[in-house]
Amino acid sequence: MATMSISFNPGQDVTVNLALSATDPETGPVSCSFTFQAAKGLLGPSSNPTSQSGFANSAQDLFAITVQPATKAAFVHFFLTSANGNVLLVSDVNARVAKLLSPPWKDDAEGFLRVETIQGRKAQLQTTDFAHAPFQSHTFWVTVGATGKVRLTQG
């Protein structure tokens, strides 16, 4: 079992702390933290963009945040945890997802991708085309594998 907490240094960075309960009585619990430069902080789902809480599935083995370094820029990071105490950071989610999408969403996802929700091993993501007004968004689901592999899927 893992938990995620988030702390902020406004205008500078965001730190994600992951705490994993002990799986081996001889090693004890494990914790780690990741700090992201993000002048604007975290970006919540489109229904609550100012949310700074991040996302977690009920099994607490898939966590996600959307880092917003600047206006109209957003980058998704997945944190995967395993029962044996391993933590995997997937920091290139935008690039992985962009490879799966067709134009124009492919290019948009490279620079702007946000998490909408997580259910089980599926994450609902959204990208926005800021190059053409009125701005249009594309929302879709991906399945996240235990090693961070993503594939398009149905919701």
Side-chain angles (χ1 to χ4, degrees):
M1 178 128 173
T3 59
M4 177 175 72
S5 61
I6 299 170
S7 58
F8 305 93
N9 189 357
Q12 294 184 24
D13 57 41
V14 174
T15 300
V16 174
N17 300 293
L18 294 169
L20 288 76
S21 55
T23 55
D24 180 345
E26 294 182 22
T27 61
V30 174
S31 66
C32 58
S33 62
F34 301 90
T35 301
F36 303 91
Q37 302 304 309
K40 305 275 287 177
L42 296 183
L43 179 64
S46 57
S47 61
N48 184 12
T50 59
S51 173
Q52 301 284 296
S53 59
F55 301 86
N57 67 0
S58 58
Q60 294 182 306
D61 61 1
L62 173 60
F63 300 87
I65 60 169
T66 304
V67 173
Q68 187 175 28
T71 303
K72 298 181 183 176
F75 300 93
V76 171
H77 301 278
F78 289 146
F79 306 91
L80 310 170
T81 62
S82 67
N84 60 0
N86 290 328
V87 175
L88 175 65
L89 165 64
V90 182
S91 62
D92 63 345
V93 175
N94 288 47
R96 291 177 188 219
V97 168
K99 290 177 185 176
L100 304 175
L101 300 175
S102 58
W105 307 115
K106 177 184 190 107
D107 292 337
D108 298 325
E110 289 178 0
F112 186 90
L113 190 65
R114 77 175 351 143
V115 180
E116 289 289 325
T117 190
I118 292 179
Q119 296 175 358
R121 296 300 296 192
K122 295 179 182 178
Q124 185 181 45
L125 305 175
Q126 181 187 75
T127 188
T128 300
D129 178 4
F130 289 113
H132 307 94
F135 302 147
Q136 305 243 346
S137 294
H138 176 55
T139 304
F140 55 95
W141 289 88
V142 296
T143 297
V144 183
T147 60
K149 182 176 179 167
V150 293
R151 62 181 172 81
L152 290 175
T153 189
Q154 299 296 315

